[in-house]
Amino acid sequence: MPPRFRVKPPGLFRVEYNDPYAPHQFSNQLQKLMSAFSPFEEVVCVSIGTDRSTGDALGPLVGSLLEKDLPDSLSVYGTLDAPVHALNLKQTLSKIKDSHPHALIIGVDACLGQMKNVGWIQAGPGPVKPGAGVHKKLPEVGQIHITGIVNVAGFMEYFVLQNTRLNLVMKMAELISSSIRQAVCKLSEEKPVYLQP
């Protein structure tokens, strides 16, 4: 059974990807958010998207960056080599449910928003809702969501995702992956947060 929070988690938290304080602030906020759901055996990051679209590659980039230096208590689904997307999301979630029954799940995905919010990354309690920006009905993912606003919503969403700057997406992915890694490593020092498997 997935963990429910034992204390009220912090609300939605946002940072701009190029803010010099963003890595410290975002990892600290993620750690607080994850602690609110303790105890759990491990953390599973489900990074949703596809490498066939620049804007939608945020999730797989985060997964691939995390895989390069993976903490012991973190598992990753969704990388550039093996993306988690609309066609395999249900199957992946079923596998996670069987393989990680006592895990805290973080869903990571790209999203579209207003022009003034492009480049902002947000995290909060509750699942990520993949496909919402392109009007797809897909299963919700996670007890915690992280979304990066990669481009502008409202018109020709698929075209907009295809024409998103890779430089922006890469920098956002680096911030998200390093923040997740730092938060998980800090949590590992708080032994009561993790259940013994």
Side-chain angles (χ1 to χ4, degrees), residues 46-60:
V46 184
S47 299
I48 302 155
T50 175
D51 61 345
R52 294 173 183 263
S53 167
T54 311
D56 207 23
L58 178 68

Side-chain angles (χ1 to χ4, degrees), residues 76-179:
V76 173
Y77 290 81
T79 63
L80 292 171
D81 282 338
V84 173
H85 46 66
L87 299 179
N88 65 6
L89 180 59
K90 284 184 184 176
Q91 178 186 354
T92 302
L93 292 178
S94 178
K95 180 180 177 183
I96 291 169
K97 186 177 179 182
D98 292 340
S99 303
H100 311 274
H102 303 291
L104 173 65
I105 299 171
I106 300 174
V108 180
D109 198 8
C111 68
L112 300 172
Q114 296 179 6
M115 175 66 80
K116 65 181 181 180
N117 294 327
V118 172
W120 285 80
I121 299 164
Q122 52 196 31
V128 73
K129 298 173 183 177
V134 289
H135 314 294
K136 280 188 181 177
K137 281 264 189 185
L138 295 171
E140 298 181 346
V141 180
Q143 290 86 40
I144 293 172
H145 69 273
I146 299 174
T147 53
I149 302 169
V150 297
N151 215 324
V152 181
F155 181 68
M156 296 178 66
E157 281 84 358
Y158 285 104
F159 181 77
V160 167
L161 282 170
Q162 293 281 4
N163 287 279
T164 298
R165 290 198 64 212
L166 179 59
N167 182 53
L168 170 69
V169 177
M170 193 71 209
K171 286 179 177 173
M172 293 173 78
E174 287 168 351
L175 173 59
I176 293 169
S177 60
S178 67
S179 296

